[in-house]
Amino acid sequence: MDIQLSERLQKLPPYLFAALRKKIADKRAQGVKVINLGIGDPDYPTPDPIIAEMFRALRDENDPNRHRYGCDAPVEAFAEAVQNFYFRRYGVKLNNDQVVTTFGSKDAIVKLCLGILNPGDIGIAPVPGYPTYNIGHVFSMAATCEVPLLKENKFLLDFDAIPKDALQKAKLLWLNYPNNPTTAVADLDFFKRAVEFASKHNLLIAHDSAYSENTYDGYTAPSILQVDGAAEVAVEFFSLSKAFNMTGWRLGCLVGNASAVNALRLVKNNIDNGSLRALQFAGAKALNLAEEIFPKVNAVYQRRRDMVCEALHGAGWPVEKPKGTIYIWAPVPAKYCGSSGAFAEDLLEKAGVVVTPGAGYSKWGEGYYRISLTYPDAVLTEALSRIREMGQ
Ligand SMILES: *Cc1c(COP(=O)(O)O)cnc(C)c1O
C-alpha cells in the first residue's frame, strides 16, 4: 500500500536545495573535490565544561529523576539560568510563567504556531527568511503573508508595506535579527516600532533570536523584550545552537508574553514531554558561562568573516562585513545579471565550490548568495583561493 502524504505535507514547498544537492552529487561522482559552504552548522565542538556537566548530570545518583520526562520533573536550574542570563545580558526580568524550555527554535516555532493559529489565520513572514515560519503556518492550516526585506531599508521590515487586508486577519508577525540570510541587524528603536505596531494591530510578534550572540566588532544585539511593554505583545526564541556550538543538542527557550509561552507549553506537554534533565543542566552551565564562551566562539567567526570578505574583494566582488550571524550575504557578481542560480552553478562548475543561491529564499533573495562561516579555516582558504582564481 502506498500511503498518501497528508495535505499539510503536500502543501510544503519543495526542499529548496534539492536540485543543487543533485548537482553536487554528480560533481563528486566525477571526482571533483567539492567544497560546500552552504550550510550553517557550527564546526567547532561544544565547549568542554558543558559536556562535562552533561556527563555529571547523567551519572548523578543523587538525582532520582535523571532519566525521567523533563516536563514532569522540570529543571529549575535551566529556567533560572535563562532568567539570570536575560537579566545580565539585557536587563530584562522574566517571571517563571514567561519561560519555557524548547527543543531548539525550529521545533518550537512550529509548535507555537500549532498552539495559537487556527485554519485560515494569517502569519506574516518577512522574506528572504528562515523557511520554518511558513512551515509552522502550513502545519497549522494557516496562511503566510510574505513581506519583502529590501536592501534600501537595510533589510529591516517596513511595517507600512504589510498589505492592509492581510494585516486585519493576521495574528502573528515573525522577526529575526541578526537576520538569516541577510545578516542585517536591528537596533532597539526598530524593536520599539515593532512593539507599537503590534499593539496597534493586535498581533503577537515572535522574534527569532537565533544569532543574538553571534556578533562582531563590539556590536551587541538587543532583545525585543528590552522595549517597555514588549511582553504584552512579543515573545522571543532564544537558542543555544549557534551561540554555544550546540546545534545537535536541541535546546533553547521561548520567553516573553506569558499566554503565548503557555500555549507552547501546552503543545509540548501534549507532544514531546520535555527535554532530558541532564541536557537542561548542561544548558544551565552554558548560560552561566556565557560571558566566557561567546568571545571565543565569535573570535573564530570574525576571523573567517574577514578572510571571506577580503577574498571576495580580491576577486572583484566586494561585500560589506556583517555585524552579526555566521554568514556572508553577498550580491551576485555583475556578469551574472543578478541570477544567483547561474552564479552558484558556475561556481560549482568552475571552482567546485557550493554557495547558497539567494533565490532559494524566495524571489526577494534573488541577486544575492550566502556563504556560511561554519567551515574550518583550511577549507575556507582552499575555497577562497579557487573563488579568487575564478573571479580574476
Ligand atoms: C539555525 C536557525 C534556527 C534554528 O535553531 P535551532 O535552535 O537549532 O532549532 C532558527 N532560526 C534561524 C533564523 C536559524 O538560522
Side-chain angles (χ1 to χ4, degrees):
M1 183 172 66
D2 255 355
I3 300 294
Q4 275 276 311
L5 295 180
S6 69
E7 282 169 32
R8 287 176 179 79
L9 278 182
Q10 290 184 41
K11 267 202 222 152
L12 290 186
Y15 180 61
L16 295 177
F17 306 112
L20 194 60
R21 212 183 243 178
K22 165 93 173 58
K23 288 196 184 104
I24 296 169
D26 291 349
K27 269 278 152 204
R28 286 194 169 132
Q30 291 165 22
V32 178
K33 271 188 80 184
V34 175
I35 300 177
N36 187 348
L37 304 182
I39 297 164
D41 193 349
D43 57 318
Y44 265 73
T46 305
D48 276 336
I50 304 173
I51 295 175
E53 177 64 7
M54 180 78 158
F55 276 111
R56 185 206 62 74
L58 276 173
R59 294 199 171 113
D60 181 4
E61 288 172 16
N62 296 320
D63 178 1
N65 292 325
R66 67 192 188 282
H67 61 286
R68 292 210 160 106
Y69 289 130
C71 64
D72 293 336
V75 176
E76 315 267 305
F78 183 70
E80 261 169 40
V82 169
Q83 286 164 317
N84 289 335
F85 174 72
Y86 259 77
F87 189 69
R88 288 196 321 273
R89 169 77 169 81
Y90 300 114
V92 168
K93 282 192 184 150
L94 297 168
N95 300 329
N96 291 341
D97 62 354
Q98 292 184 302
V99 183
V100 58
T101 307
T102 65
F103 291 180
S105 296
K106 188 173 187 173
D107 179 90
I109 285 166
V110 176
K111 285 175 180 162
L112 177 67
C113 290
L114 293 174
I116 65 176
L117 295 178
N118 291 313
D121 281 347
I122 290 181
I124 300 166
V127 284
Y130 191 57
T132 308
Y133 315 135
N134 174 56
I135 290 169
H137 301 162
V138 171
F139 277 8
S140 312
M141 300 298 227
T144 299
C145 169
E146 295 189 337
V147 184
L149 298 179
L150 304 174
K151 166 83 178 157
E152 56 260 39
N153 299 329
K154 301 194 161 81
F155 299 111
L156 292 171
L157 181 66
D158 174 4
F159 298 101
D160 296 330
I162 302 172
K164 296 283 171 290
D165 49 336
L167 187 55
Q168 278 182 351
K169 284 201 272 173
K171 265 197 185 162
L172 185 58
L173 166 62
W174 294 96
L175 294 174
N176 163 226
Y177 294 100
N179 181 264
N180 175 16
T182 70
T183 74
V185 296
D187 59 16
L188 201 53
D189 218 49
F190 172 82
F191 284 141
K192 262 187 205 147
R193 275 183 280 139
V195 167
E196 272 166 30
F197 184 82
S199 314
K200 186 167 162 202
H201 296 284
N202 252 319
L203 289 168
L204 177 72
I205 295 182
H207 179 234
D208 177 355
S209 193
Y211 299 98
S212 58
E213 309 314 320
N214 300 105
T215 58
Y216 315 109
D217 303 331
Y219 169 78
T220 54
S223 158
I224 193 168
L225 297 176
Q226 285 173 263
V227 177
D228 282 341
E232 288 297 312
V233 294
V235 282
E236 188 158 83
F237 288 89
F238 180 80
S239 170
L240 279 76
S241 287
K242 315 301 187 345
F244 294 99
N245 300 334
M246 290 176 72
T247 42
W249 296 58
R250 313 312 300 132
L251 187 64
C253 56
L254 180 71
V255 297
N257 182 275
S259 55
V261 163
N262 185 52
L264 176 60
R265 198 193 313 274
L266 281 174
V267 175
K268 286 179 59 65
N269 286 349
N270 282 283
I271 297 184
D272 69 41
N273 284 351
S275 295
L276 177 70
R277 286 171 62 79
L279 174 58
Q280 297 189 62
F281 280 111
K285 181 64 137 194
L287 287 166
N288 293 338
L289 294 176
E291 287 80 359
E292 246 174 74
I293 292 173
F294 294 155
K296 292 182 197 152
V297 171
N298 290 335
V300 173
Y301 294 129
Q302 182 166 325
R303 183 181 72 232
R304 291 176 183 170
R305 175 198 69 165
D306 293 346
M307 277 169 54
V308 171
C309 290
E310 276 146 34
L312 291 176
H313 202 87
W317 302 336
V319 56
E320 276 170 49
K321 287 181 184 176
K323 289 204 181 78
T325 78
I326 53 178
Y327 308 106
I328 303 297
W329 180 247
V332 167
K335 79 174 210 203
Y336 298 93
C337 302
S339 169
S340 57
F343 172 65
E345 265 184 45
D346 210 34
L347 200 61
L348 175 57
E349 189 55 44
K350 295 188 178 138
V353 173
V354 179
V355 297
T356 309
Y361 295 96
S362 97
K363 69 173 180 180
W364 298 102
E366 184 54 296
Y368 290 84
Y369 65 97
R370 195 191 77 171
I371 287 178
S372 168
L373 302 174
T374 56
Y375 297 89
D377 288 33
V379 173
L380 273 181
T381 306
E382 167 67 19
L384 292 171
S385 89
R386 295 190 201 171
I387 289 175
R388 216 183 276 116
E389 257 171 52
M390 188 181 138
Q392 279 154 2

